[in-house]
Amino acid sequence: MSCSTLNVGAYLNLNGCTQCGISKLSWFRPACIFQKSSASFVDHLNLSFNNHSLVRDIHQFGCSGSFHSVFKCSYESSEQSAFTGSDRKSDSERVVVLVIGSGGREHALCYALQRSPSCEAVFCAPGNAGISNSRNVTCIADLDIYDGAAVVSFCRQWGVGLVVVGPEAPLVSGLVNNLVKAGIPTFGPSTEAAALEGSKNFMKHLCDRYEIPTAKYKTFSDSSAAKQYIQEEGAPIVIKADGLAAGKGVIVAMTLEEAYEAVDSMLVKGAFGSAGCRVIVEEFLEGEEVSFFALVDGENAIPLESAQDHKRVGDGDTGPNTGGMGAYSPAPILTKELQSRVMESIITPTVKGMSAEGRKFVGVLFAGLMIEKKSGLPKLIEYNVRFGDPECQVLMVRLESDLVQVLLAACRGELSEVSLNWSPGSAMVVVMAGKGYPGSYEKGTLIEKLEEAEHVAPGIKIFHAGTAYDSEGRFIATGGRVLGVTAKGTDLHEARDRAYSAVEEINWPGGFYRHDIGWRALPRKQHATK
C-alpha cells in the first residue's frame, strides 16, 4: 500500500455537483460527492489511489467497493478539536494546504494543520504510510518535490492557498523561490536565506558580521592546513562538513586522532560528497544543548515554546549522534530570562542581518544552542531553517493557535500582530528506531498494535517517520527513525509515563528506543529503569 497518486484536472463535475475546484469540494457533504459511484467516475478523474482508511470511510457512506476517490469525505472529524465556537473561521476563509516532506515532522505538521479552523484540506507530498492513514490528509506520492514547476502546477490545479515546506533539501534547492514567484503563499525560506543551514561557513560569517555569539572557528578546504590548526588548538574539538549531510556531518572529536580522521573522511575520502568539500573546525563548547525555535516573517520574529531533544543514541546520552531519539517541551533550562537573551543576542540580529544582506528570511529559525557551563550564557552552535524533528512533534501537540493563520501571517509579513497559545502542561516524544540505527538497520520489519498504543492513556499521538505498508496492508519499518510516540500530560512526569506506556504496547521486535528521555529535566528516581 502507498499514498495516493493523482492526475486530476483543476475543475470537476461530480455527478450533479456544480463545477468547482477542490477548494470548494473538500467540505461538501458526502451525499453530494458520493451520491453515485461508478467506474466511469474514476476514469473521468484519471487517478490511482490506495488508502485503507479512505476506502473504509467511503464504504461507510454506501459507496461501491470498486470506488476509490482522492477526496477525504467531508464529514466532521470525530477527533476532538482544540478550536471551538468563535474560533472557527467562515467557509470563505478556509485554505487548502500542501505540506512538503515525508517524515515525522511532516506528520506532526499535518496533524496540527488539519486541526486548524481555517484549514479546508491538507495534502502531503510525498507523505508516508502513517500520514496516508490520517482521516483528513491525502498523500501525493508521485509529486516530485524538487520539480518546482510540477509543484506550482499542482497548487494551481487544486487551489492550494498555503505551502509548508518541511525538510531542508527542497528549501536549499530553491522550491520556495518557484512558489513565491508564482504567487503561492509559502512558509519557508528562499534558497538564498536557506544558506543559513545549507552552508555552515555562511552562517559563521554572518555571526562575525553581526556579533552573534558562537564558537570560535576556522574554515578549511585543505586537509593539511586543517590538521595543523587542530594540532594548535588541541582536543576535544568539533569538525563539521560545510554543506547538508543528512544530520551526519558533525564529528565531536575527543582526541587529535579522531579529529584528523574526520578531516580525512571529508576532505580526502569525500564521505559527504560536495557537502564536505570544506570543513569548519570549531572549538568544543561544554554545557547543555537546547533547541530554540522562532517564526520569522522577514523582519519580525516570535519565539515558539521551548523544547529539548536527545541526540545521542544511547541511554545517558552515550553513543553516536543521531537525528534525535526523543524530545520534550517545555525545557526547564530555557527560563524566560534566557529566552529573552536568545532573542536579543541571537535571533533578532540574525533576522536583521539577513535582511541587510538581501536575504530576507521567512520561515522557522531553529537555533541549536549551547548553554555554556562556565558562563551560563547561550552560544549559537548551528542554524536549521525548518522545524526540528523530533521537537516539532511535541510543539505541534501543544499548539492551540490556528496554525494556518499563523503561517499565513508569516508569509505576509504580519507576525508582529500574532500571539501564540499553548496548552498547559508538558509533552514528550520517544523515538522508536530500527535496531542498528544510526548505522545499518534492517528494513521491512513488521510493526503491530499501533492503534492500541494510542489508546492506552489520554493525550497520545503516534507520528510516523519511516513506515510503509506491506502487501497485506500492515505497517512495516522502512527507515532508521521510524515512530515518534508522543504524549501530553499535566507535567513532564505524566507525559513521560504516558509515552512509555504507549511504547511498551507497540509490538515491534525490530525496533529499539531510549529509556531515559527527559532525564535532564526529571528527578533521577523518575527515569525508566530498563
Side-chain angles (χ1 to χ4, degrees), residues 433-452:
K435 289 180 178 177
Y437 174 81
S440 60
Y441 48 84
E442 183 181 357
K443 295 184 178 181
T445 54
L446 183 64
I447 307 170
E448 296 179 303
K449 300 188 71 175
L450 292 179
E451 186 173 349
E452 293 89 338

Side-chain angles (χ1 to χ4, degrees), residues 156 501 515:
R156 285 175 170 165
S501 67
H515 302 87

Side-chain angles (χ1 to χ4, degrees), residues 57-369:
D57 293 340
I58 292 172
H59 289 169
Q60 290 174 356
F61 287 101
C63 298
S64 165
S66 64
F67 176 71
H68 298 273
S69 169
V70 61
F71 303 112
K72 297 292 185 183
C73 294
S74 64
Y75 54 86
E76 293 293 330
S77 171
S78 60
E79 181 178 356
Q80 180 68 33
S81 173
F83 311 101
T84 57
S86 61
D87 289 334
R88 186 168 292 281
K89 305 290 182 181
S90 66
D91 288 355
S92 62
E93 294 177 293
R94 289 185 177 138
V95 177
V96 177
V97 184
L98 170 64
V99 175
I100 300 293
S102 62
R105 167 184 47 229
E106 289 73 39
H107 194 176
L109 288 169
C110 288
Y111 169 79
L113 288 163
Q114 59 89 18
R115 292 170 66 240
S116 297
S118 53
C119 180
E120 182 173 319
V122 179
F123 291 109
C124 187
N128 63 40
I131 297 173
S132 75
N133 199 49
S134 304
R135 294 180 69 88
N136 300 311
V137 182
T138 301
C139 289
I140 318 298
D142 63 349
L143 179 60
D144 184 354
I145 62 175
Y146 295 96
D147 184 342
V151 176
V152 168
S153 176
F154 179 88
C155 291
R156 285 175 170 165
Q157 285 184 337
W158 292 93
V160 171
L162 173 65
V163 178
V164 181
V165 184
E168 63 273 21
L171 292 170
V172 172
S173 69
L175 176 60
V176 172
N177 299 58
N178 289 280
L179 290 162
V180 171
K181 185 178 180 180
I184 298 167
T186 304
F187 183 77
S190 65
T191 186
E192 294 81 11
L196 275 174
E197 179 171 359
S199 171
K200 295 178 179 64
N201 185 56
F202 171 81
M203 185 274 285
K204 286 289 194 177
H205 282 315
L206 189 84
C207 290
D208 288 344
R209 286 194 294 274
Y210 297 97
E211 300 181 342
I212 298 164
T214 189
K216 186 176 105 174
Y217 76 102
K218 278 194 176 181
T219 302
F220 299 93
S221 55
D222 176 73
S223 62
S224 298
K227 290 177 182 178
Q228 179 63 36
Y229 179 73
I230 290 168
Q231 187 176 34
E232 293 169 0
E233 294 297 312
I237 199 162
V238 181
I239 316 299
K240 296 180 177 180
D242 178 48
L244 298 179
K248 300 177 181 178
V250 177
I251 306 296
V252 180
M254 303 309 293
T255 66
L256 292 178
E257 288 71 23
E258 289 176 358
Y260 298 154
E261 183 180 344
V263 167
D264 283 341
S265 70
M266 296 179 196
L267 293 180
V268 178
K269 300 177 183 177
F272 300 112
S274 60
C277 65
R278 287 189 299 188
V279 299
I280 288 79
V281 181
E282 188 176 271
E283 74 168 311
F284 173 82
L285 298 176
E286 186 177 2
E288 189 167 345
E289 288 189 49
V290 68
S291 304
F292 190 95
F293 297 89
L295 302 182
V296 183
D297 67 4
E299 297 290 347
N300 306 291
I302 58 174
L304 300 180
E305 265 284 14
S306 61
Q308 191 165 11
D309 75 336
H310 295 259
K311 291 294 187 190
R312 300 283 186 171
V313 72
D315 288 1
D317 290 336
T318 57
N321 275 329
T322 71
M325 294 299 295
Y328 53 92
S329 173
I333 190 174
L334 267 176
T335 62
K336 294 298 182 185
E337 294 77 15
L338 197 52
Q339 289 183 57
S340 295
R341 181 178 285 272
V342 172
M343 289 297 293
E344 293 169 5
S345 67
I346 296 176
I347 301 297
T348 298
T350 299
V351 174
K352 300 300 183 187
M354 291 294 283
S355 181
E357 297 286 323
R359 298 171 181 250
K360 279 193 175 184
F361 187 97
V362 174
V364 177
L365 266 182
F366 167 14
L369 305 176

Side-chain angles (χ1 to χ4, degrees), residues 360-406:
K360 279 193 175 184
F361 187 97
V362 174
V364 177
L365 266 182
F366 167 14
L369 305 176
M370 180 68 75
I371 311 303
E372 275 201 291
K373 184 177 180 180
K374 60 183 178 182
S375 68
L377 298 178
K379 281 190 174 180
L380 178 65
I381 301 174
E382 65 178 2
Y383 268 130
N384 294 316
V385 297
R386 32 69 186 186
F387 285 101
D389 185 343
E391 297 97 330
C392 185
Q393 286 85 314
V394 290
L395 291 173
M396 290 303 104
V397 297
R398 291 193 61 211
L399 183 67
E400 292 189 343
S401 297
D402 186 327
L403 183 59
V404 170
Q405 291 301 315
V406 171

